[in-house]
Amino acid sequence: SGMAWRGVDPNESGSHWAVPGRILPDHMKSRSTREKLDYLDEIGRIYWPPNGKVPQYKRYLDEMPGTPIDTIWDDIGGLQSQDAERTGYPTQKPLALLDRIIKTSSNEGDMVLDPFCGCATTCVAAEHLNRQWIGIDISVKAYDLVRERLTKDVADPGNILQFRNRIHLKTDPPKRTDLAVDYRERKFVYVISHPNFEGEYKVGIARDAQKRLAAYQTSDPERGYRIEYKLETPHFRKLEKHIHSIFPNRHEWVQADLKEIKTEMKNYKGE
């Protein structure tokens, strides 16, 4: 309808009154446009802007049909260097991303498993959302980082030790009995470099160093990662911990001269 209502003529702005029928009760749906507008105004669904502008219908989010979430999420940005939640872990994901994943795939009290928990983003999100959780990571640095982050981001200030008995470091995991050869003897300690991290080297463990390298390359469009050195040893876990303990490091990235790292790895006797 283009008729004036409450002193407002929609024709002056080249528009007309449009009343959404989905919120009207049945007895109002056959009424005139003016009567419908009067009803909406009575129940507080009309917004009167200042300066005599055309009033607007109030819409509420829980009444809108919305759009189903797509498989591509571009509304959660990556972490920036100044973000408070950033730990410096190279593959850290935003907490908001894990919040959404956990909310859409589990209920309160459910168990959440992250077998590559890294800097504990999944663990923190699960704890915030009242889920049980298990976080696993092969890196010895992840143990310290998980405890540190849970204490900082989750723990009750009056009980900062509440997670101490729930986080465990296993330096000698159980031996598999379904393989003819001990799979632990086939693992490598690798040293990976990247041009963006000059003077730093990622030291970690992998059964197949090339596959581990390929995994890192998928997250790097420039494919700058490269293997500088790898050593197959039955003492892989102790060796990784040894390298991280004698050189300055930032999580899994060791800050040292490459020759010194290689020499230390070659001379390590597994003690």
Side-chain angles (χ1 to χ4, degrees):
S1 172
M3 300 177 64
W5 174 71
R6 302 281 179 93
V8 179
D9 186 355
N11 293 301
E12 294 179 357
S13 59
S15 58
H16 65 278
W17 302 116
V19 180
R22 63 177 178 274
I23 69 164
L24 292 173
D26 291 339
H27 72 277
M28 290 298 303
K29 292 182 178 180
S30 61
R31 301 291 183 89
S32 68
T33 299
R34 286 183 176 179
E35 290 176 313
K36 293 176 181 177
L37 291 171
D38 287 337
Y39 171 78
L40 292 177
D41 194 32
E42 289 176 4
I43 64 174
R45 297 303 294 263
I46 300 293
Y47 167 67
W48 293 88
N51 303 323
K53 294 183 179 179
V54 177
Q56 303 291 325
Y57 166 64
K58 292 181 182 179
R59 293 176 172 84
Y60 294 95
L61 187 61
D62 59 355
E63 296 176 346
M64 305 300 291
T67 302
I69 192 167
D70 202 350
T71 55
I72 298 177
W73 299 348
D74 57 3
D75 59 319
I76 299 177
L79 291 177
Q80 304 300 316
S81 58
Q82 69 274 16
D83 288 339
E85 68 180 88
R86 189 173 181 84
T87 65
Y89 201 81
T91 56
Q92 182 180 356
K93 307 298 185 296
L95 186 60
L97 176 62
L98 273 301
D99 279 345
R100 178 179 294 177
I101 292 173
I102 292 174
K103 284 179 180 177
T104 57
S105 59
S106 67
N107 299 311
E108 288 194 13
D110 285 351
M111 178 66 73
V112 175
L113 169 66
D114 186 350
F116 312 99
C117 68
C119 61
T121 302
T122 299
C123 307
V124 171
E127 189 72 27
H128 283 162
L129 297 172
N130 296 319
R131 269 66 164 176
Q132 302 180 74
W133 54 267
I134 297 174
I136 305 170
D137 201 280
I138 196 172
S139 168
V140 294
K141 298 303 295 181
Y143 171 71
D144 294 328
L145 189 55
V146 168
R147 294 181 66 171
E148 175 185 334
R149 192 166 184 201
L150 286 172
T151 301
K152 173 185 174 184
D153 296 346
V154 177
D156 180 350
N159 183 19
I160 62 173
L161 300 179
Q162 63 178 298
F163 296 106
R164 296 292 177 176
N165 296 328
R166 293 170 54 185
I167 305 172
H168 307 282
L169 175 63
K170 299 290 187 180
T171 57
D172 188 22
K175 179 179 178 180
R176 289 183 62 174
T177 58
D178 60 330
L179 299 176
V181 180
D182 184 354
Y183 75 101
R184 291 178 295 172
E185 296 181 358
R186 299 176 60 84
K187 289 195 175 182
F188 291 87
V189 176
Y190 60 80
V191 181
I192 289 179
S193 67
H194 192 284
N196 291 345
F197 305 104
E198 185 176 355
E200 297 185 11
Y201 300 91
K202 183 175 179 61
V203 178
I205 300 170
R207 190 180 308 174
D208 187 326
Q210 289 300 134
K211 286 185 178 180
R212 181 59 56 86
L213 175 65
Y216 281 110
Q217 298 288 32
T218 58
S219 63
D220 178 20
E222 299 179 358
R223 297 190 176 276
Y225 290 100
R226 57 177 291 180
I227 294 179
E228 298 289 351
Y229 183 66
K230 62 180 180 179
L231 178 68
E232 187 176 18
T233 170
H235 309 295
F236 55 87
R237 200 171 302 279
K238 291 182 179 180
L239 175 55
E240 182 201 30
K241 184 176 181 180
H242 174 70
I243 295 299
H244 281 283
S245 66
I246 65 172
F247 293 114
N249 60 83
R250 180 172 58 86
H251 304 318
E252 292 186 353
W253 289 82
V254 172
Q255 300 167 331
D257 181 78
L258 179 59
K259 291 183 179 179
E260 294 180 0
I261 298 175
K262 293 170 66 174
T263 299
E264 194 66 34
M265 290 175 63
K266 292 176 182 178
N267 295 335
Y268 184 70
K269 303 301 182 182
E271 299 177 355

